[in-house]
Amino acid sequence: MHRFPRIERLPPYVFATINELKHKARQAGEDIIDLGMGNPDLPTPPHIVEKMIEVSSNPKNHRYSVSRGIVRLREAICKWYQRRYDIDLDLDTEAIVTIGAKEGIAHLLLATLERGDVVLVPTPTYPIHSYASIIAGADVHLVPFTEGQDFFESLVVATERILPRPKMVVLSFPHNPTTQTVDLEFFKKVIDFAKRYNLLVVHDFAYADIVFDGYQAPSFLQVPGAKEVGVELFSLSKSYNMPGWRLGFVVGNREMIYALARIKSYFDYGIFQPLQIAGILALNGPQECVSEIVETYRVRRDVLIQGLARAGWVVPSPKATMFVWAKIPEKFQPMGSIEFTKFLLQSAKVAVSPGIGFGEAGNLYVRFALVENEHRIRQATRGIREALDLVQPQARRRAREQQA
Amino acid sequence: MESTSIFSERVQKIQPSATLAVDARARELKARGVDLISFGAGEPDFDTPDNIKQAAIEAIHQGFTKYADVSGTQDLKEAILAKFQRDYGISYQPQEIIVSCGAKHSLYNIFQVLLDKGDEVLLPAPYWSSYADMILLTGARVKVIRTKAKEGFRLHGDGLKKAIGTRTKMLILNSPSNPTGACLPKEDLQEIGKIVQEKGIWVVTDDIYEKLIYDRFEWRSIASVAPEIRDHCLVVNGVSKAYAMTGWRIGFTAGPAEVIGQMSKLQSQSTSNPNSIAMKAAVEALNGPQESVEKMRQEFEKRRNFVVDRLSAIPHIQCFRPQGAFYVFPDVSKWYGREYQGKKIENSSSFAEFLIDAVQVAVVPGVAFGEDHSIRLSYAASMENIQKGLTRLHDALLALR
């Protein structure tokens, strides 16, 4: 028997058990409202789809593309940063196209880390933010990112306790799953800190556009000197409803982008060119579609938050992302997030993600993804209201029990 | 980002020994005729007892000056086995013992045979800096667990549990401790033993200051009070501190035979046997009369009492009263922020520099032990010098006000 040490370090996927139960319920003919996976449900804006259809019949676009992305797509992302944040990027050395942000981060870390390196990652976290390091052979040091704790302070303490010092920190704001946001001042502190300890910074900016109530999410690269210490990842999945297209970018630090380009030049021939061309249109074309997408999520968010409140489950309204991170009602907390998720699936016919799937620190929470329409979300909250039974008077409940 | 140095990545990861650096500076100033008082010494200021010296002289006369057994002579191993039986209540087998060139070498060999890149070692702070550097040499990394003076530098089970990660392979214990002199109570060691047993973590316990215990503290090694961890516990001890034999370089390790075997292999390819003459002397040290140990211990206890009381009389200095070794590790951070001759005292290094510049007193900055709020003073010096030195220190601080 041969050993495969790299995959031995990857634990079984926590969400798999929930997915299995969901499939079983559906097979049994049950109508499950799926707010589990963060898989956007709305179609890609038609002008982007049409462009892809148009150019895909051109045989020129059927050949191998370039692994770092075609020039005009890299130019489009640089312009996007220029327009939005007044950041100058060199399209040859400071920008690269990736097969979604996930591939970007996975290969970036494979290119820059080795065995024995330590990476700081907040917990709870989007799983690939920690497992990209594990796959690269490095080790993750989880930094608690929970209410009532100054995350930046925890980051400094963690760094000072490890010898040799950690090599990298992986951040993502607006944050999945906690929906936490930061201001530019936070990134300033992170960059000073990164310079002091010679740390590399990777910032996943997947939810850059999905912001509400006037909040603007800062780009990590807005801080002068950011490019000296790190990179930012952006993806078209959320902003343009293009999750299945796999179009992402890494921009910023030249050495890191060079490392990623180098490793990608061995791994892939780039994304199917018609997708890249459509991506150019997404970034350069009309942006009303983005505001429409954001507005859709906002409405869904409000419906969910209000519906949960009616069910006696009060959850703060997130300023950003397509998620709601909800602390499990006290009465149900002893169940833990997996059992509570199963309970919601069985009793309320609603699928959510158990918080523990994002790390131990998430076990008192579940995550709702706003990926069903508002009617369905309303239906979900009604189901939850009945299942939780938090708002019913004791007497009535007792009477009902006696009847039963 | 590629390294351009001609030197190995390995050696570039480590720092020169901070305590030895202070020693070197003190020696240099003294050689230039400066009236310097040093609290930097990491060794007893007593002479090696005569019976031990005599044993070495006889070894030379008898021609015991050739290669010997790589892992230590049989008579020395027997003396060590008897010592563990006597002092620890543990019966080891000869194949569970290896003699090395000083306890530092024992530790070095342990780390080399057990640690690899990616492994993590838990190190309670304040710690003797050589642990960290020797661990880094293997490619493994150190995770520091802070302990506090106001809690007697005890290692709490909760703190230990929290620090254990998926890559944690080893825990270092050093009781009595360099630099704090703190001793871990039996109950704490039992709790630590339970936790490491459950998690399957190796324990390396450096018991080199074992014989220097005060206030009739009931010192125990974790090896004695948590026998369940025997198959993943390595005990390091030696003759340096107990018999004032630092220059002779004899240390030893007791532990599972497989680990000892690997250490012996490493030793066979690096140093071969420890010095044959010193091994004969060590036999005499362990088997011969022990009165000199007690005499030295009593003298150290007197000095400790004086040093702790004297330091505590200085404003803004907090000094924990340790029950072992010959160090104190007072917190001097309340003096940070003051200036001396236009230079700000902002950390333990600048505090130590200030003491040398202002009153020619040498101490080791706490940052060398992972704790920047304190300085280490060794009282392995004559009472006269200790008194003079602490008066100077007091005066220097008063002049700052």
Side-chain angles (χ1 to χ4, degrees):
Chain A
M1 272 288 278
H2 290 281
R3 282 185 56 225
F4 304 133
R6 207 179 296 281
I7 59 157
E8 275 170 15
R9 293 182 66 201
L10 297 173
Y13 198 51
V14 178
F15 302 120
T17 39
I18 302 299
N19 285 340
E20 206 175 302
L21 285 175
K22 190 173 71 193
H23 286 307
K24 269 194 192 141
R26 281 191 167 156
Q27 270 172 353
E30 282 182 26
D31 176 21
I32 300 295
I33 299 165
D34 191 358
L35 307 178
M37 191 182 171
N39 188 359
D41 58 313
L42 294 170
T44 305
H47 67 284
I48 301 172
V49 178
E50 279 154 24
K51 185 70 180 178
M52 193 275 285
I53 292 169
E54 175 200 322
V55 296
S56 57
S57 56
N58 185 343
K60 232 175 51 188
N61 290 331
H62 296 169
R63 309 192 61 197
Y64 289 131
S65 186
V66 272
S67 74
R68 55 208 313 247
I70 56 178
V71 175
R72 284 187 47 229
L73 182 55
R74 280 185 277 125
E75 185 185 54
I77 189 67
C78 293
K79 278 190 186 158
W80 185 87
Y81 266 96
Q82 172 63 51
R83 204 163 57 230
R84 302 254 308 214
Y85 305 104
D86 197 20
I87 295 164
D88 287 320
L89 292 167
D90 179 71
L91 66 92
D92 282 324
T93 56
E94 295 176 336
I96 184 168
V97 179
T98 59
I99 310 168
K102 207 167 176 175
E103 183 264 340
I105 195 166
H107 282 153
L108 175 66
L109 269 51
L110 193 60
T112 53
L113 298 174
E114 64 169 338
R115 203 168 148 218
D117 286 341
V118 174
V119 179
L120 301 175
V121 181
T123 179
T125 177
Y126 177 50
I128 192 68
H129 288 163
S130 54
Y131 290 112
S133 302
I134 302 289
I135 292 166
D139 294 316
V140 169
H141 183 89
L142 294 170
V143 181
F145 177 55
T146 41
E147 18 175 15
Q149 263 176 342
D150 181 345
F151 174 63
F152 181 76
E153 212 33 59
S154 308
L155 213 56
V156 175
V157 168
T159 303
E160 287 178 346
R161 285 187 186 176
I162 298 168
L163 293 170
R165 299 294 180 214
K167 186 170 184 175
M168 183 182 279
V169 55
V170 177
L171 300 173
S172 180
F173 294 104
H175 187 247
N176 172 17
T178 68
T179 76
Q180 288 290 308
T181 57
V182 293
D183 53 17
L184 199 57
E185 199 51 41
F186 173 81
F187 284 139
K188 275 187 192 150
K189 284 200 288 187
V190 166
I191 287 158
D192 281 348
F193 155 75
K195 284 184 179 166
R196 183 152 34 108
Y197 289 106
N198 195 25
L199 272 168
L200 299 172
V201 181
V202 174
H203 180 238
D204 184 351
F205 201 29
Y207 299 94
D209 283 309
I210 316 300
V211 291
F212 317 114
D213 312 332
Y215 171 72
Q216 291 292 317
S219 161
F220 163 75
L221 296 174
Q222 273 173 283
V223 181
K227 272 197 249 177
E228 291 161 37
V229 299
V231 293
E232 185 160 270
L233 290 105
F234 178 65
S235 132
L236 301 188
S237 303
K238 315 304 185 314
S239 299
Y240 301 93
N241 270 335
M242 296 171 74
W245 298 53
R246 313 313 301 129
L247 279 169
F249 304 91
V250 182
V251 295
N253 183 273
R254 288 176 187 216
E255 283 85 12
M256 291 166 82
I257 290 186
Y258 173 79
L260 176 58
R262 185 106 179 118
I263 209 162
K264 273 175 71 67
S265 73
Y266 283 84
F267 276 147
D268 70 74
Y269 285 113
I271 299 163
F272 184 46
Q273 210 148 275
L275 303 179
Q276 297 194 54
I277 295 167
I280 297 169
L281 184 65
L283 290 168
N284 289 347
Q287 298 297 299
E288 288 75 23
C289 55
V290 181
S291 351
E292 281 164 24
I293 290 164
V294 174
E295 181 58 13
T296 306
Y297 285 133
R298 187 197 61 77
V299 170
R300 291 174 177 184
R301 175 200 67 169
D302 292 348
V303 169
L304 179 63
I305 295 289
Q306 284 157 16
L308 289 178
R310 270 196 296 276
W313 190 357
V314 179
V315 177
S317 184
K319 271 198 291 189
T321 78
M322 50 188 287
F323 306 109
V324 167
W325 182 241
K327 194 165 196 171
I328 299 171
E330 217 176 318
K331 178 177 146 191
F332 297 93
Q333 283 176 9
M335 294 171 91
S337 60
I338 291 199
E339 285 311 308
F340 183 67
T341 299
K342 284 185 194 166
F343 165 73
L344 285 185
L345 190 69
Q346 277 146 13
S347 309
K349 310 298 170 205
V350 177
V352 299
S353 294
I356 198 169
F358 306 96
E360 285 285 342
N363 203 22
L364 287 181
Y365 294 81
V366 290
R367 191 195 70 177
F368 291 89
L370 302 167
V371 292
E372 294 243 29
N373 69 39
E374 47 194 286
H375 304 295
R376 302 269 295 162
I377 290 177
R378 212 166 272 132
Q379 186 188 329
T381 60
R382 278 196 297 267
I384 289 170
R385 184 176 172 174
E386 275 167 36
L388 296 185
D389 199 18
L390 289 172
V391 286
Q392 249 174 32
Q394 290 270 327
R396 232 164 72 197
R397 196 186 314 163
R398 233 178 284 129
R400 203 181 50 185
E401 276 165 12
Q402 271 165 6
Q403 268 175 15
Chain B
M1 275 184 249
E2 193 90 343
S3 161
T4 51
S5 171
I6 58 162
F7 297 108
S8 69
E9 224 180 276
R10 204 165 47 246
V11 80
Q12 288 185 72
K13 273 190 195 166
I14 62 168
Q15 305 292 323
S17 162
T19 48
L20 295 183
V22 170
D23 252 13
R25 174 124 196 247
R27 248 172 254 184
E28 180 204 318
L29 286 171
K30 269 190 184 158
R32 284 189 359 223
V34 176
D35 170 27
L36 181 118
I37 294 177
S38 178
F39 289 101
E43 57 185 346
D45 55 319
F46 298 88
D47 200 5
T48 306
D50 281 336
N51 61 314
I52 298 173
K53 289 182 184 171
Q54 203 52 49
I57 292 164
E58 273 160 34
I60 295 173
H61 285 318
Q62 285 165 9
F64 195 72
T65 53
K66 304 288 178 62
Y67 286 134
D69 296 328
V70 164
S71 61
T73 56
Q74 205 179 327
D75 52 350
L76 179 51
K77 281 192 184 176
E78 275 163 19
I80 292 166
L81 291 174
K83 179 221 155 41
F84 278 116
Q85 187 68 64
R86 193 167 62 229
D87 297 339
Y88 285 63
I90 304 178
S91 314
Y92 286 108
Q93 298 298 313
Q95 64 272 24
E96 293 176 303
I97 302 289
I98 181 171
V99 184
S100 302
C101 311
K104 199 181 212 172
H105 187 223
S106 305
L107 290 162
Y108 182 89
N109 286 348
I110 290 171
F111 298 149
Q112 286 293 329
V113 306
L114 282 177
L115 300 175
D116 258 325
K117 229 178 191 183
D119 291 334
E120 185 174 78
V121 180
L122 301 180
L123 182 56
Y127 52 81
W128 180 47
S129 54
S130 294
Y131 297 125
D133 290 292
M134 287 192 282
I135 292 163
L136 294 183
L137 268 180
T138 68
R141 67 173 172 273
V142 170
K143 192 193 271 178
V144 172
I145 310 176
R146 303 234 170 259
T147 66
K148 295 176 188 152
K150 63 173 183 216
E151 295 169 356
F153 298 106
R154 287 166 67 174
L155 174 61
H156 294 294
D158 284 351
L160 173 61
K161 272 190 211 155
K162 250 198 211 161
I164 294 172
T166 49
R167 307 289 270 190
T168 304
K169 184 156 184 184
M170 184 184 284
L171 167 71
I172 310 292
L173 295 178
N174 177 214
S175 163
S177 146
N178 174 8
T180 67
C183 297
L184 294 172
K186 185 180 166 190
E187 302 72 42
D188 289 15
L189 292 170
Q190 283 168 333
E191 193 190 353
I192 293 166
K194 270 195 202 114
I195 295 168
V196 297
Q197 171 68 7
E198 192 182 305
K199 302 277 182 181
I201 293 168
W202 286 88
V203 173
V204 174
T205 177
D206 178 357
D207 298 349
I208 193 76
Y209 295 98
E210 169 209 356
K211 293 290 179 192
L212 303 175
I213 300 291
Y214 316 120
D215 303 337
R216 297 200 185 131
F217 180 84
E218 225 186 296
W219 180 87
R220 289 283 184 280
S221 173
I222 191 167
S224 305
V225 302
E228 70 272 19
I229 66 169
R230 180 165 173 162
D231 61 351
H232 47 113
C233 178
L234 292 149
V235 182
V236 174
N237 210 320
V239 296
S240 296
K241 314 284 175 173
Y243 305 97
M245 291 175 70
T246 48
W248 299 70
R249 312 309 304 130
I250 295 294
F252 43 85
T253 308
E258 317 86 77
V259 182
I260 299 298
Q262 294 295 317
M263 290 170 72
S264 177
K265 181 174 78 180
L266 177 62
Q267 205 155 291
S268 77
Q269 297 293 12
S270 49
T271 55
S272 298
N273 60 280
N275 179 297
S276 60
I277 301 147
M279 285 200 281
K280 284 290 179 203
V283 173
E284 174 62 19
L286 293 171
N287 290 347
Q290 302 292 307
E291 288 76 18
S292 59
V293 182
E294 176 56 18
K295 242 174 90 187
M296 179 168 74
R297 192 201 64 77
Q298 284 175 10
E299 177 60 26
F300 274 138
E301 183 156 3
K302 263 188 237 157
R303 294 182 196 169
R304 182 211 55 164
N305 292 342
F306 174 78
V307 170
V308 173
D309 294 344
R310 184 69 186 84
L311 281 170
S312 302
I314 300 173
H316 305 316
I317 286 190
Q318 301 277 334
C319 188
F320 167 72
R321 191 182 190 87
Q323 285 158 316
F326 41 74
Y327 309 106
V328 287
F329 197 62
D331 184 331
V332 295
S333 63
K334 287 207 175 126
W335 287 95
Y336 296 174
R338 314 276 177 122
E339 273 185 18
Y340 174 72
Q341 294 187 341
K343 245 172 84 185
K344 202 164 183 183
I345 300 168
E346 48 190 2
N347 51 35
S348 61
S349 305
S350 47
F351 188 92
E353 270 168 42
F354 145 73
L355 285 183
I356 285 204
D357 294 346
V359 289
Q360 292 77 52
V361 167
V363 301
V364 185
V367 69
F369 309 98
E371 173 51 71
D372 207 16
H373 288 155
S374 298
I375 53 171
R376 189 192 77 174
L377 286 84
S378 154
Y379 48 84
S382 72
M383 199 62 168
E384 189 196 342
N385 273 349
I386 292 172
Q387 287 173 345
K388 220 159 77 180
L390 292 181
T391 304
R392 284 190 194 180
L393 189 151
H394 195 166
D395 291 347
L397 290 175
L398 291 182
L400 278 181
R401 283 149 81 87

